[in-house]
């Protein structure tokens, strides 16, 4: 299981590093943004990608919760693990989870 958390952190580390190194624009949004402001985020993403909205987006189903998979102690250990391997920018985006 720890390898999955490591891969997750590394993916974010490398994505943020690539954006900076290649000086390319990026658009960051979080899973809960779709739950809280689906239409706004969808419009922002479409604008970022310089696309036109076509049709109606399918409804977003916010039911992916994994809180019950881990104990409080597990979550604390995962947070320490993630913080240890994350860059400052990655940690800034992931710490609220």
């Amino acid at each position: 299981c720890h390898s999955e958390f490591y891969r997750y952190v590394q993916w974010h580390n490398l994505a943020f590093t690539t954006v900076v190194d290649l000086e390319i624009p990026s658009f960051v949004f979080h899973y809960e943004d779709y739950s809280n402001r689906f239409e706004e985020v969808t419009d922002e993403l479409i604008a970022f990608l310089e696309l036109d909205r076509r049709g109606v987006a399918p409804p977003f189903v916010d039911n992916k919760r994994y809180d019950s998979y881990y104990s409080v102690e597990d979550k604390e250990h995962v947070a320490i693990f993630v913080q240890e391997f994350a860059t400052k920018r990655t940690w800034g985006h992931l710490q609220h989870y």
Side-chain angles (χ1 to χ4, degrees):
C1 183
H2 70 281
S3 64
E4 294 303 319
F5 287 109
Y6 180 77
R7 272 192 280 240
Y8 182 79
V9 172
Q10 275 300 96
W11 187 93
H12 286 82
N13 287 342
L14 294 171
F16 288 131
T17 299
T18 300
V19 165
V20 170
D21 288 351
L22 298 180
E23 299 177 351
I24 56 177
S26 66
F27 180 78
V28 177
F29 61 96
H30 299 268
Y31 180 82
E32 64 273 9
D33 293 339
Y34 268 146
S35 298
N36 301 333
R37 38 186 219 98
F38 179 77
E39 289 299 323
E40 291 172 69
V41 172
T42 301
D43 288 340
E44 291 167 9
L45 180 58
I46 289 170
F48 174 78
L49 296 172
E50 299 178 355
L51 299 172
D52 296 323
R53 186 183 270 263
R54 297 181 186 209
V56 177
F60 177 70
V61 179
D62 178 17
N63 63 356
K64 295 178 179 76
R65 302 281 187 231
Y66 305 103
D67 290 347
S68 64
Y69 289 16
Y70 305 100
S71 69
V72 171
E73 185 178 6
D74 290 338
K75 292 175 192 176
E76 291 169 356
H77 288 134
V78 169
I80 292 167
F81 180 90
V82 170
Q83 186 175 15
E84 184 68 28
F85 288 99
T87 62
K88 288 181 182 180
R89 184 161 186 196
T90 297
W91 180 244
H93 284 283
L94 300 180
Q95 67 184 344
H96 71 278
Y97 291 110

